[in-house]
Amino acid sequence: MNQLQIIRSKIYEIRGQRVMLDRDLAELYQVTTGNLNKAVKRNIKRFPPDFMFQLTTEEWESLRFQIGILEVGRGKHTKYLPNAFTEQGLAMLSGILNSDVAIQVNINIMRAFIAIRQLVANPPIDKISLLEREVKELKAYMEEVFTDQNDINEDTRMQIELINQTLAELQVRNQEREKKPRPRIGFIRYDE
């Protein structure tokens, strides 16, 4: 798998934005997650909430489940909730990490974001036709199912009508029974 594909596989959609997590970025930049986050904290003014945000516990648990990070045990989980960097946050990150590896990785990350944006804006023709065909097949299937449900034969209609009549009669009987006074249950005390 080439570098661009690796980066694209590490881009997630969270809160309606495409983001990369600090742990993935640290791996790409060949630094520890702690050192990456320390550099960010030293330059926190460069990272407003629309450039970087910390995931909530629910978001992190959901993401861990989706991408298969379910390992447990000592050293197998993060101590802190991860930070998520938007495309603008990644561009800002390139300004504070100034190694040759960081520069090359940032160039590849920007290319990956551009490729994803182009793919979303202009999907390949064969994928559109595949999607159209699947929608047509689904529509035909649903029409067939509803047609089958509307084709109830006359015997079935009569049976349903009899069931409805019987239920109505039972309801009337139950209402009549509730109107009658019930005999008292229990011990009768006779005064001597």
Side-chain angles (χ1 to χ4, degrees), residues 74-89:
R74 186 171 175 86
K76 298 286 185 179
H77 62 283
T78 58
K79 188 174 180 180
Y80 305 104
L81 291 171
N83 290 319
F85 293 86
T86 64
E87 188 173 356
Q88 294 84 2

Side-chain angles (χ1 to χ4, degrees), residues 104-119:
Q104 191 56 46
V105 167
N106 252 8
I107 290 169
N108 287 335
I109 289 173
M110 292 303 135
R111 287 180 178 155
F113 270 92
I114 290 168
I116 289 174
R117 200 171 23 249
Q118 288 175 345
L119 184 64

Side-chain angles (χ1 to χ4, degrees), residues 51-65:
F51 283 26
M52 179 196 78
F53 55 88
Q54 189 173 39
L55 299 185
T56 64
T57 305
E58 295 81 24
E59 290 169 334
W60 176 232
E61 291 301 321
S62 173
L63 189 62
R64 283 181 61 206
F65 180 74

Side-chain angles (χ1 to χ4, degrees), residues 18 25 59 71 77-78 83 93 103 114 117 146 154 169 178 182 187:
R18 288 186 193 88
L25 289 166
E59 290 169 334
E71 300 168 343
H77 62 283
T78 58
N83 290 319
L93 195 57
I103 292 168
I114 290 168
R117 200 171 23 249
F146 284 121
E154 209 45 48
E169 289 172 10
E178 287 177 355
R182 292 179 142 188
F187 294 104

